[in-house]
Amino acid sequence: ASRSEEQPSLESVGLCTRGGRAAAAAAAAMSSVTEDVRNVLANEESLRYEEEISRNPYLLDSWLKYLEFKKDGKPSERHFIHERALKCLPRSYKLWRQYLQERGAQLAGKSIADKRYRILVNTYERALVHLHKMPRIWLDYCAVLAKLKRGTLTRRTFDRALQALPITQHDRVWNLYLEWVRDFGVKDTAIRVYRRYLQYDPQHREEFVDYLESAGSVEEAAQQLAVCVNDDDFVSPGGHSKHQLWMRLCDMCAKHPKEVSGSLKVDAIIRSGLARFTDEVGRLWCKLADYYIRMGQFERARDIYEEGINSVTTVRDFTAIFDAYAQFEESVISAKMQQEEEDDDEEEDEEEEDMDVEGND
């Protein structure tokens, strides 16, 4: 009886297992059929687009609709369609722009050593054969080259862009060019590029001065700032007045006398400032004296202080010069005292050495 009860249960298990396998097989077959149907429909739809293109391969809308239909396709398929479209429409900005953006998007987050960057660079070069008057293509290409850290090629490409584009569009190129050359870190290249930029827009000379000062080229920075000060038509983009620019030039000359003395007449510059800005007379006399102090001409600095004290007419200017004069004399006296102490120490050391030598004898 027990055997008869166990046997139906085993049969039922076998039926369930076979039924499950059959259902799974049926589902797989249905999925395969559905996939085949999709492929057939897609091929039929692609065939319809191919027929439309074959009738008129020079119609841009047909290619764009075909690419829209293939938006979920493999990148290689879309690249192939783009290449075919560009053979028929080589001057289409929309096709080139879309193609370049797709190739660039595939390389987002990839290493700059990826071989596909070479293909992207070649694609940009091909696009510029036909679209060399389009600034957006040039800017995107230069951005790609800057990312690849290819300095010489990037600089030459910027130069090619400036040569190819009309001067009314140069401003867009220069903004990116200057940003790249500052970040690239080669001072000589940056200075040459800035000099060319000033031929295009001299009003940004103050920006060049800022860069030169930060790069340590004080001599040329002072020369360029002197040009700004002497140009009556110059308007500072940063909103600085002539007085502020002049005081900046005087500060630069006073702090770096050895660098600027060979190219600028510092004494004449500061004295002309004395005639221009009567409210800064005391400060300017102090800067002129500081210039000679840094040059090591202490007697000349004393003469400047004396001349300033005798020529000023306000208490404020007199106090500023007198305080600076007194501080200078104190520093000179302290330096001499320190030097004498060092000399005395050296003499004592020499006497002790002589005594040691006599004792040994």
Side-chain angles (χ1 to χ4, degrees), residues 18-34:
R18 288 194 295 273
R21 290 176 180 174
M30 182 61 70
S31 176
S32 177
V33 170
T34 305

Side-chain angles (χ1 to χ4, degrees), residues 104-118:
Q106 290 177 4
L107 293 169
K110 302 295 183 182
S111 170
I112 60 175
D114 196 310
K115 294 181 179 180
R116 287 176 292 179
Y117 270 111
R118 186 180 300 175

Side-chain angles (χ1 to χ4, degrees), residues 28-90:
M30 182 61 70
S31 176
S32 177
V33 170
T34 305
E35 188 66 27
D36 292 339
V37 171
R38 288 176 182 172
N39 291 334
V40 170
L41 293 176
N43 290 333
E44 289 181 356
E45 191 72 14
S46 297
L47 185 60
R48 185 174 68 82
Y49 282 109
E50 290 286 352
E51 289 176 352
E52 183 178 353
I53 288 170
S54 64
R55 286 194 295 270
N56 190 357
Y58 304 104
L59 187 62
L60 178 61
D61 289 341
S62 300
W63 289 107
L64 294 177
K65 289 177 182 178
Y66 194 10
L67 289 167
E68 178 64 22
F69 169 70
K70 288 286 188 178
K71 64 182 179 180
D72 296 327
K74 297 179 180 179
S76 57
E77 294 179 357
R78 290 183 58 81
H79 294 341
F80 179 66
I81 296 173
H82 271 116
E83 292 288 350
R84 290 172 56 201
L86 290 169
K87 284 184 178 180
C88 298
L89 300 167

